[in-house]
Amino acid sequence: MVLEKLGSALKGAMRKIAGKGFVDKEIMDEMSRDMQRALLQSDVNVKLVFELTKKIKDRAMNEKPPSGLTQKEHVINIVHEELVNFLGGKAVEMEIKPTKILLMGLFGSGKTTTAGKLALFYKNKGLKPCLIACDTYRPAAYEQLTQIGEQLGVTVFGNPGEKDSRKVMEESLKKTGKFDVIIADSSGRDALNRDMIKEIEDLNGILKPEERILVIPADLGQKAEEQSRSFQGAVGITGVIVTKMEGTAKGGGALSACAETGAQVNFIGVGEKMEALEKFDAERFISRLIGFGDLKTLVEKAKEVGAEKTAEKMISGKFTLEDFYQQIEQVQGMGSLSQLTKMIPGFSKLSKKMPGNFMDVQEEKMKRFRFIIDSMTPEEKRDPDKISGTRLKRIAKGSGCSESEVRELLKMYKQSKKIMKKMKPGRRGNRLMQQLGV
């Protein structure tokens, strides 16, 4: 789960403010210490951490709350705003259009896998991508990329017998005329050296890409700043993709380090699946991290798999078992259920009443739930309250599942409806208090 410990620690610090009757210097000092501890544990640079908490304290003690917000609510808003600025501020909207992309990065960054994830991203947006295997340095790099291409239904160009990446690029470009997006995977090294710089410069001259993207693993933490500056100075990167965010506590350090250099983080990798690549938006990321939700990203994911109407019904709380069935079908293409629920404002508070592994367990049971719903009549799907006694036994027998599993599905459905109905819009300040569990 992406930066779960950092998110929990930040939410805990903000709850201290939300739970107080007033805000004074002592309370702000306590919250600042909690935030400092949380950010330092995420490998954020010490100097940047203290600069951030000083800004928050100064604003909290000196700014007058705007009309409609209490002082506590205003302080929570300040924390949110400064954390967003800390990670690069408002994102530049990414234009989805035909483009050429050159990926670069050191060994172990996840560059080749990221090439496949990018191709799928553009494919889901309605464009026709292709991949060029220009990594002639690492053994089996071509084979890895072709396997990814086959899995995604994306064409891969390359020549496993050619050791000169420049020739591979030149020959491959002759075949890419019918493709909208060209993504080239370049060779990595243990460190950025003269040979690597020269190779990237040559590939850049041949491809003439609109985007030169550095791929950095999140476990670099604050060391990402040094790598980002090195590549920026050597080849002039236009953006960064931070990978492996789900497997380290240092992701906050990597993101803040990139922001410090001025490098735009375009995407983050949040899992091993090809779908586990997200556009990075600091505001959305921080909102999700501290429990405010991210409905925009949820709807975007739903659109990609044709699930927008289902998602809207789910969010409104007005959904039947038929809608629930469609959600089960579509959620696999949108990502894990636990990740999706983090995008719903206030869910973190409500989810505390559930067992810790509730979402993961339910995801494993989805296949059997589908069999159960398939065994129901249209009337039962529309009105599950009618299911009891002989109906329940018939559904269990028809689906090959136990009666307890049928009851479990009905309980999960009712629990989901109850949770969604509690997501009522309200005044911004009230929503902040509710989302923090106050």
Side-chain angles (χ1 to χ4, degrees), residues 13-27:
M14 293 171 74
R15 282 195 194 101
K16 288 187 177 180
I17 292 289
K20 300 290 184 181
F22 59 91
V23 177
D24 60 12
K25 184 178 182 299
E26 184 179 344
I27 292 170

Side-chain angles (χ1 to χ4, degrees), residues 105 107 111-112 132-145 159-160 162-163 165 168 184-189 199 203:
F107 286 151
K111 183 164 46 61
T112 301
I132 301 180
C134 288
D135 185 350
T136 57
Y137 195 86
R138 180 171 62 88
Y142 172 82
E143 286 75 14
Q144 182 187 356
L145 197 61
N159 181 354
E162 178 58 67
K163 296 303 179 184
S165 61
V168 173
D185 179 25
S186 66
S187 301
R189 300 289 194 283
E199 184 175 342
L203 292 177

